[in-house]
Amino acid sequence: MNQNKGLFASICGFFKSLFSSEPTTAAAKAATNDGLTGVERYIRNQSQSGSSLTGVEQYIRNQATSNKSVTGVEQYVRNQGQAKTMTGVERYIQSKG
């Protein structure tokens, strides 16, 4: 019977520590209790990381500076914008207008 109580107590202790929001060691408490929110810590870490660009900014700069060839869709859209020929439907509408 005492073995069952000890086992039950250890299982309860495990779940209590698992679902507890407080750190279990003094070192963990000191590391997380610096008076800053998670967002403030994130901003501080980003500013100290040395990179002043975000991932999105780096992606945009890489896309702007890369010498990509024009895709077939881009060529088609550009050609359609430059083409001044009228379709038969457009000519019909203009002649009846």
Side-chain angles (χ1 to χ4, degrees):
M1 184 74 162
N2 278 342
Q3 278 184 326
N4 290 340
K5 284 184 180 180
L7 179 63
F8 182 72
S10 65
I11 291 172
C12 289
F14 169 75
F15 281 108
K16 181 180 177 185
S17 66
L18 183 66
F19 294 109
S20 175
S21 62
E22 297 179 14
T24 56
T25 64
K29 283 184 181 179
T32 59
N33 192 10
D34 57 0
L36 299 175
T37 65
V39 173
E40 290 170 327
R41 269 190 236 104
Y42 174 80
I43 292 171
R44 179 187 61 200
N45 291 339
Q46 290 298 313
S47 67
Q48 293 174 353
S49 70
S51 175
S52 60
L53 298 177
T54 65
V56 173
E57 290 171 322
Q58 290 172 351
Y59 175 81
I60 291 171
R61 286 191 179 181
N62 288 340
Q63 292 299 314
T65 59
S66 68
N67 294 328
K68 286 185 5 180
S69 62
V70 177
T71 65
V73 173
E74 288 173 317
Q75 288 174 348
Y76 175 80
V77 170
R78 286 180 185 175
N79 290 339
Q80 291 300 315
Q82 294 172 356
K84 298 297 181 187
T85 59
M86 295 175 67
T87 64
V89 173
E90 289 173 325
R91 284 192 298 259
Y92 174 80
I93 292 172
Q94 278 192 344
S95 69
K96 296 295 178 180

